[in-house]
Amino acid sequence: MTVDERRLAIDIVVPLYNEAEVVAEFHRQLMDVVTPLRHEYDVRICYVNDGSVDHTGAELAKLAADDAGVTILELSRNFGHQAALTAGLDRAEGDAVVTLDGDGQHPPQLIADMVALYRTGYEVVLTQRVAADQPSFKRWTSTGFYRLLSVIGDTQITAGSADYRLVSRPVLEALREMREYHRFLRGMVAWAGYRTVVLPYEERARIGGQTKYSLRGMARLAANATFSFSLVPLKIALVVGLCFLVLAGAEALYVISFWLTGRQHELVPGWASLMFMMLIVGAALMIAVGLVGIYVGYIFQEVKRRPVYLLRGVDRSAGDRPPRARGGQEP
């Protein structure tokens, strides 16, 4: 049976971390979109509890008990947003998978449009924030980061894109082949290079609670993106070293010129200039060694081959629900 001869299977993956106060309202808004879609498609929802320490797990258990189309993945601890998304993607069984955050900032109403674009032949449907009401600092740093990454990396990533996207089955299988420990899914999807369309949207305010992405978390994500998709930092260190080599050669020629013209007595040692050059050279060396160290650290964490996440359990409490066969056909 071909895809066109049966009901299309759509999986929706939603990672959550300490979102107990917004889970019920988010699910209600999501079901407002999913319920009409289920008349035409086989839609299932997978919530990933990323080691929440509040009552998020209990709230999710209620959802699974009331809806046979809801599955809950419980991670053993907080592994981070990208790892939680990976857990949901690994569990997905449909023809297409939609990922979005569970705080309400990603409007679920776009899912129908994303599925429609998928049906026209696109393998990746990205979303892009437009006119987002964000703090100036976050907006400037985000724009600057994506521009810089596009310049220094070998992968073009859409500025303002988020982890709100639809990927087809071939893209999902490709992502499952990429098991790197430091994950940046936006870059991994872009690197895969499938037929892509961008769907703009206006980001909403959170339903409640506080953002879980701290400045430190955003910096860690930016570092993972930079060091996973670009070797330019190492090349910069090499260029800086070559520049100082050229300066050393110029200094040597300058000193030799005094000896060749018989003016060696004019060479008075300068303590200030010497210390200045030592500090500059030392700083350049430390930066170069530090950059190499970061890459070595990334390599060290990769070669250990630790899993990206660990599951504590899977909740399918609403009756007997065997997994769907690939493509949405029931076994």
Side-chain angles (χ1 to χ4, degrees):
M1 184 181 294
T2 65
V3 173
D4 293 333
E5 294 173 336
R6 57 169 168 77
R7 287 166 62 89
L8 191 69
I10 306 294
D11 285 340
I12 300 175
V13 175
V14 185
L16 295 167
Y17 176 62
N18 291 345
E19 299 286 6
E21 59 184 290
V22 305
V23 167
E25 176 60 22
F26 171 80
H27 185 70
R28 185 193 64 78
Q29 294 182 11
L30 180 60
M31 291 306 298
D32 287 343
V33 176
V34 169
T35 300
L37 286 176
R38 282 178 171 171
H39 296 312
E40 186 176 357
Y41 308 115
D42 182 10
V43 183
R44 290 191 180 179
I45 304 170
C46 177
Y47 286 105
V48 184
N49 185 11
D50 187 20
S52 298
V53 295
D54 61 359
H55 299 293
T56 299
E59 293 295 326
L60 291 175
K62 296 177 185 177
L63 301 181
D66 295 336
D67 189 340
V70 174
T71 299
I72 312 300
L73 300 184
E74 291 279 349
L75 302 191
S76 62
R77 65 170 177 84
N78 177 240
F79 285 90
H81 185 257
Q82 301 296 292
L85 283 173
T86 301
L89 293 173
D90 287 345
R91 196 77 182 182
E93 302 163 345
D95 299 296
V97 184
V98 176
T99 61
L100 74 161
D101 292 344
D103 55 12
Q105 290 188 296
H106 295 162
Q109 290 76 13
L110 286 182
I111 294 177
D113 296 332
M114 298 167 78
V115 174
L117 288 170
Y118 163 71
R119 295 300 298 268
T120 65
Y122 289 105
E123 295 161 298
V124 178
V125 181
L126 297 180
T127 62
Q128 182 181 39
R129 293 186 301 268
V130 294
D133 186 16
Q134 293 180 322
S136 298
F137 175 76
K138 185 176 181 180
R139 184 171 62 253
W140 294 339
T141 53
S142 176
T143 301
F145 165 70
Y146 281 111
R147 288 179 179 175
L148 177 63
L149 190 60
S150 296
V151 170
I152 68 176
D154 57 359
T155 302
Q156 295 296 315
I157 302 175
T158 303
S161 62
D163 287 309
Y164 186 15
R165 70 177 71 86
L166 177 148
V167 297
S168 64
R169 188 76 198 187
V171 183
L172 176 63
E173 296 293 344
L175 291 175
R176 287 176 174 173
E177 294 293 323
M178 307 178 199
R179 304 310 297 180
E180 56 253 45
Y181 186 77
H182 298 280
R183 306 182 71 77
F184 182 59
L185 285 167
R186 300 170 202 179
M188 293 162 66
V189 172
W191 179 88
Y194 288 86
R195 290 190 298 273
T196 302
V197 65
V198 178
L199 186 63
Y201 76 99
E202 292 188 10
E203 188 174 70
R204 296 178 174 181
R206 287 179 56 90
I207 297 175
Q210 300 294 324
T211 179
K212 306 307 184 295
Y213 247 124
S214 62
L215 183 60
R216 180 180 179 182
M218 290 187 290
R220 185 185 301 112
L221 182 64
N224 288 341
T226 302
F227 294 111
S228 297
F229 286 89
S230 177
L231 294 178
V232 168
L234 287 177
K235 296 176 182 178
I236 291 175
L238 178 60
V239 170
V240 171
L242 290 175
C243 289
F244 277 99
L245 181 61
V246 171
L247 289 175
E251 178 69 14
L253 291 175
Y254 177 73
V255 173
I256 291 174
S257 69
F258 277 84
W259 286 91
L260 292 178
T261 57
R263 295 182 295 126
Q264 59 269 28
H265 61 278
E266 298 181 12
L267 291 173
V268 179
W271 181 86
S273 59
L274 179 62
M275 290 301 297
F276 177 76
M277 289 303 299
M278 288 180 62
L279 290 172
I280 293 295
V281 172
L285 288 175
M286 292 301 294
I287 291 173
V289 172
L291 289 173
V292 173
I294 291 174
Y295 279 100
V296 171
Y298 272 56
I299 294 170
F300 172 68
Q301 291 179 316
E302 291 291 344
V303 298
K304 288 189 291 186
R305 306 306 299 166
R306 289 182 179 175
V308 177
Y309 60 88
L310 293 173
L311 278 177
R312 173 181 288 118
V314 180
D315 187 354
R316 294 195 193 97
S317 56
D320 182 18
R321 290 179 290 169
R324 290 175 296 186
R326 176 172 174 172
Q329 301 178 62
E330 296 295 339

